[in-house]
Amino acid sequence: MPTFLSADPNAPTPTFRQRTWLFAALRAHDGLMPLGVPLRSLSLMREREWLKAVPATDDDPQQIRHEVTPEGRFALLSVGKADALLSVLVSAEPGLLKLPVQQQILNSLIREGLVTRLTRHGEQDEDQDQFPYITNLGRLLVGLPQADTTPAGDYLLAALAAKGITAGIERDSSGNTRVVYRNGDIHAQFFREVWNPGFYTYSARHPSWMHNKPWTALITYGTDGAVEKHLPNDLGVQEESARMAASFAAWLTNRDDAFTV
């Protein structure tokens, strides 16, 4: 568990404006406090060790900028919010908040962008049951590693396109998604199994960090030709997608059902 979470729970907490500035820094691509924050406010936040100065850049050598410290990140969280976010460490499903979380706390976490609600198909849809998952901003606040939020199918589509192969995402009546290629007598489907609350789904749309099973390729061709192959995983979704695309491209060239990867 991150050590900075042992901060004094009775320490001062940021005002609404200070919270706005601190969150703006955490969301910024450079991680720096926005320009225009009053000097008095910057000084106060430095005194409370929520900010630290960063070296000036060649582009702006006169401008002193600040980044948020671990203490500053924790100052944005109540104990209840920190506990809710850290419950992912003991949750049965990676990234899923371990319920129950008080609704008021959960609503605030969602509003601040620390938690997102996703369906069993890894997407946001108010018309379906949704479940609370920690976001990268939430991970940042409690000191957990950042996660790759790119949908797995996007990596495979890009890798196939790099091989000159055009494919798309298709959804079945159950909401499962696959990367699909069709050309002549060839019909290829690519998907990854993902465990969701209650059962597995077949997915190409879940964020990459939620995938811990390999790509599966189901290929049919001619009147009775069929191939099913699974890639080794633990290489990372992007690398696994590149290997699957290369293997499929080779199969299209020689129709070798060994389909090595």
Side-chain angles (χ1 to χ4, degrees), residues 152-172:
D154 288 4
Y155 282 131
L156 184 55
L157 289 173
L160 290 169
K163 297 291 183 180
I165 301 169
T166 301
I169 301 288
E170 294 186 8
R171 186 186 307 272
D172 65 20

Side-chain angles (χ1 to χ4, degrees), residues 6-13 74 79:
S6 61
D8 181 3
N10 298 315
T13 57
F74 185 56
V79 173

Side-chain angles (χ1 to χ4, degrees), residues 153 156-157 167-181 187-192 201-205 215-216 218:
L156 184 55
L157 289 173
I169 301 288
E170 294 186 8
R171 186 186 307 272
D172 65 20
S173 59
S174 298
N176 295 309
T177 52
R178 297 168 175 83
V179 172
V180 177
Y181 169 87
H187 180 205
Q189 301 180 66
F190 306 88
F191 62 87
R192 301 173 73 103
T201 59
Y202 300 102
S203 176
R205 298 308 302 163
W215 280 112
T216 293
L218 299 176

Side-chain angles (χ1 to χ4, degrees), residues 122-141:
E123 299 168 307
Q124 293 180 320
D125 188 341
E126 295 293 341
D127 294 331
Q128 299 182 42
D129 289 339
Q130 296 187 99
F131 303 88
Y133 293 88
I134 190 171
T135 65
N136 270 337
L137 183 59
R139 290 174 179 272
L140 177 64
L141 257 65

Side-chain angles (χ1 to χ4, degrees), residues 97-148:
L97 269 63
K98 187 176 182 182
L99 302 178
V101 176
Q102 291 183 14
Q103 192 62 46
Q104 182 178 1
I105 291 176
L106 182 59
N107 290 343
S108 182
L109 290 170
I110 293 171
R111 185 171 58 252
E112 293 174 335
L114 308 180
V115 167
T116 187
R117 295 177 68 89
L118 299 176
T119 70
R120 287 188 172 93
H121 299 290
E123 299 168 307
Q124 293 180 320
D125 188 341
E126 295 293 341
D127 294 331
Q128 299 182 42
D129 289 339
Q130 296 187 99
F131 303 88
Y133 293 88
I134 190 171
T135 65
N136 270 337
L137 183 59
R139 290 174 179 272
L140 177 64
L141 257 65
V142 294
L144 297 178
Q146 297 289 279
D148 185 355

Side-chain angles (χ1 to χ4, degrees), residues 74-93:
F74 185 56
L76 293 167
L77 294 172
S78 65
V79 173
K81 288 182 177 180
D83 286 346
L85 293 175
L86 286 171
S87 72
V88 302
L89 295 174
V90 293
S91 176
E93 180 188 339

Side-chain angles (χ1 to χ4, degrees), residues 61-83:
Q62 303 302 318
Q63 180 71 52
I64 299 176
R65 302 295 300 274
H66 297 83
E67 65 182 9
V68 184
T69 63
E71 292 79 7
R73 296 199 297 268
F74 185 56
L76 293 167
L77 294 172
S78 65
V79 173
K81 288 182 177 180
D83 286 346

